[in-house]
Amino acid sequence: MIHHHIRLAMRPDAPGDKVDEALELLRRMGREIDAVAYGAVGRDVGGDFDYGAMFAVEDIEAYRAYMHAPLHRQVDEIGLPLVRNMVSYDLIDDEDPYTGELIRQIHAERFAGDPALVALIEGLGSYQGSGAPGR
């Protein structure tokens, strides 16, 4: 199982209705992307972030499907301009030592094929994670 986590600190000037729209799109990802086994979206507690989300997928192919889902890209387009800082990371419970590298490759492929997405990421105050462009 791969658990993909994101933590989001919103821009102080982010309109509340747009934040709500982005959060609802995140919730839809958990319900509508077939590759997602289960997910959760809500307030982030215990850090410098406002919201968080977690999506669990069964294996690396499900992870690839989740990352390349059109709804995921829609969330990026609407949500990332509202975000000041973001952290993205994955918790994996399999013993395959190459799974982490495969995850990095999926992110690299996604960014390489979408310069507009890279521009959205570069517009953040900070972004850390296995999928950060240039890693």
Side-chain angles (χ1 to χ4, degrees):
M1 205 66 159
I2 303 169
H3 294 83
H4 180 68
H5 300 257
I6 60 170
R7 299 178 79 193
L8 308 164
M10 308 313 283
R11 294 181 185 276
D13 61 346
D17 61 329
K18 291 295 186 184
V19 171
D20 291 343
E21 178 184 3
L23 293 172
E24 180 54 30
L25 285 171
L26 281 168
R27 290 181 186 100
R28 282 184 51 203
M29 286 174 58
R31 293 189 307 260
E32 296 178 19
I33 297 175
D34 290 338
V36 174
Y38 56 89
V41 176
R43 291 181 302 118
D44 189 285
V45 178
D48 295 327
F49 297 91
D50 302 305
Y51 300 100
M54 185 282 305
F55 301 99
V57 297
E58 291 289 334
D59 56 28
I60 198 68
E61 288 311 313
Y63 190 89
R64 183 183 312 279
Y66 158 77
M67 280 294 160
H68 289 284
L71 181 55
H72 191 173
R73 184 59 179 85
Q74 182 182 1
V75 170
D76 293 334
E77 192 71 32
I78 292 169
L80 288 177
L82 307 172
V83 173
R84 178 174 41 92
N85 297 320
M86 178 176 163
V87 173
S88 167
Y89 61 95
D90 299 288
L91 173 69
I92 54 178
D93 63 2
D94 69 38
E95 297 299 321
D96 185 342
Y98 298 106
T99 301
E101 181 56 33
L102 293 172
I103 287 170
R104 283 186 283 283
Q105 286 176 10
I106 290 168
H107 284 280
E109 292 165 5
R110 186 169 183 251
F111 288 121
D114 192 344
L117 177 59
V118 173
L120 287 170
I121 294 294
E122 289 173 347
L124 299 174
S126 71
Y127 174 52
Q128 299 177 358
S130 61
R135 294 192 86 194

